[in-house]
Amino acid sequence: MMNIIEHLNKADIHMHSTASDGGYPPEVLMKKCVEAKLELLALTDHDTTVGLEIARETAESLGARFIDGIELSTRINGQSVDILGYGFDIHSAVLQETLSFHRKMRRERMDRMMEKCQDHGISITIEDIKKQVTGETYSRPHLAKAIIEKGYAKTVQEVFEKYLGYGKPCYVVKEKEMEPSEAIKLIHQAGGVAIVAHPIFYNIDEEIETWFSEYHLDGIEVFHRDHDEEAVKRFLTLALSVEKKLGKRIFKTGGSDFHHESFGRVGEEIGLSKLPYEEGERLYQYIYEA
């Protein structure tokens, strides 16, 4: 197929498809990314790799370059922390076995969140939620969409602010979650690169800094959708501090964290990525061309 992409040096390596909690099938998402003039892409669905092969095939057929990705949920000291993985072996047995276990935990957690919703006057059933699940992974946006369809809210953001966000009345912690160290090790065992996602959500900068020496974390998502100019400076400073201590460069990644336009979140738009192209290019070269 003719290479239809224009080389405008745009990259987005954090986004989600219907394989987890996004709104577009992987192949449709990749086509939309190319139409938005992105030339370096990654799909980072939650706890699943099922969309990666078709996403790669579609992206590369349209002239874009593609990095296999994933987003793993972890918890440490009561704090939820997401770890991104890039460039791993998607067929790794240890990876797939672990992902299967944690998808089961997600399903059990969904039952408990549904019950909490019912306790708070939201008439919702598991069948309502299943209608929203298009892939292998049960996630809060699926429950949010079911709540919207029932008429209790208008946007996913509204549902999260009222019911499903951290600390909100219907939020439930998964019974068993990996710690960040376990997720980093898992990604490394599968041959990949581990990055701490959107650190603005955690406020554990000093702890993250120790993960580079203790667990061999590979990078920080500096340029996330929800990182304003001040946050970008904050995490660039953190990255530079790590590099000085380690005596080597680390990866500084980012992206739109796109799910779907209907989620109603500022900055969540295909083609709207804060990631400097050279940072995405450096990761791609390290994975595929080193």
Side-chain angles (χ1 to χ4, degrees), residues 12-249:
D12 190 334
I13 58 173
H14 189 166
M15 62 185 78
H16 302 273
S17 77
T18 52
S20 64
D21 59 348
Y24 294 111
E27 64 275 20
V28 175
L29 178 59
M30 293 299 105
K31 289 175 182 176
K32 286 182 172 290
C33 287
V34 170
E35 290 169 359
K37 311 302 182 185
L38 291 165
E39 70 166 23
L40 179 57
L41 307 167
L43 181 63
T44 53
D45 278 314
H46 298 281
D47 297 337
T48 182
T49 62
V50 71
L52 292 178
E53 290 184 324
I54 185 62
R56 171 180 288 279
E57 180 182 331
T58 304
E60 292 181 347
S61 74
L62 295 174
R65 291 184 295 170
F66 184 82
I67 302 173
D68 291 316
I70 197 167
E71 188 168 11
L72 301 177
S73 300
T74 78
R75 181 170 289 273
I76 185 167
N77 298 328
Q79 172 71 64
S80 292
V81 176
D82 289 336
I83 301 294
L84 292 159
Y86 293 103
F88 49 86
D89 174 11
I90 67 174
H91 302 294
S92 163
V94 66
L95 174 66
Q96 293 301 336
E97 289 169 6
T98 304
L99 294 181
S100 178
F101 172 81
H102 286 282
R103 287 194 297 268
K104 181 175 180 290
M105 292 297 101
R106 280 179 172 271
R107 176 64 175 80
E108 294 177 0
R109 173 207 199 192
M110 185 61 69
D111 288 336
R112 299 199 301 277
M113 285 195 292
M114 178 190 68
E115 291 169 359
K116 281 201 169 189
C117 286
Q118 292 169 346
D119 292 341
H120 283 80
I122 299 172
S123 179
I124 204 90
T125 68
I126 196 62
E127 294 305 318
D128 296 325
I129 300 167
K130 283 181 178 179
K131 292 177 184 177
Q132 308 298 330
V133 180
T134 51
E136 296 183 317
T137 306
Y138 280 78
S139 297
R140 285 179 293 163
H142 297 130
L143 176 54
K145 290 177 184 178
I147 290 172
I148 291 167
E149 192 165 289
K150 286 284 187 172
Y152 294 99
K154 293 183 179 180
T155 68
V156 171
Q157 183 173 7
E158 180 185 354
V159 177
F160 271 65
E161 290 175 351
K162 288 182 177 180
Y163 306 112
L164 300 181
Y166 302 125
K168 300 301 179 180
C170 300
Y171 177 78
V172 173
V173 174
K174 289 191 283 292
E175 184 176 348
K176 295 180 181 179
E177 278 192 287
M178 290 184 283
E179 291 195 355
S181 60
E182 295 174 290
I184 294 166
K185 181 179 179 181
L186 179 65
I187 292 166
H188 288 164
Q189 285 177 322
V193 172
I195 310 289
V196 61
H198 37 58
I200 193 66
F201 296 162
Y202 319 136
N203 200 30
I204 53 172
D205 296 15
E206 291 183 4
E207 193 163 359
I208 289 173
E209 188 167 359
T210 68
W211 296 350
F212 286 89
S213 57
E214 292 182 7
Y215 310 139
H216 307 292
L217 182 69
D218 299 297
I220 301 171
E221 188 177 43
V222 172
F223 306 98
H224 183 265
R225 173 195 68 216
D226 291 325
H227 289 185
D228 59 17
E229 185 176 345
E230 182 179 345
V232 169
K233 290 181 180 178
R234 167 183 166 185
F235 296 117
L236 278 176
T237 299
L238 177 59
L240 291 173
S241 174
V242 170
E243 289 180 335
K244 184 176 181 179
K245 289 180 179 179
L246 296 181
K248 65 177 183 179
R249 291 180 67 186

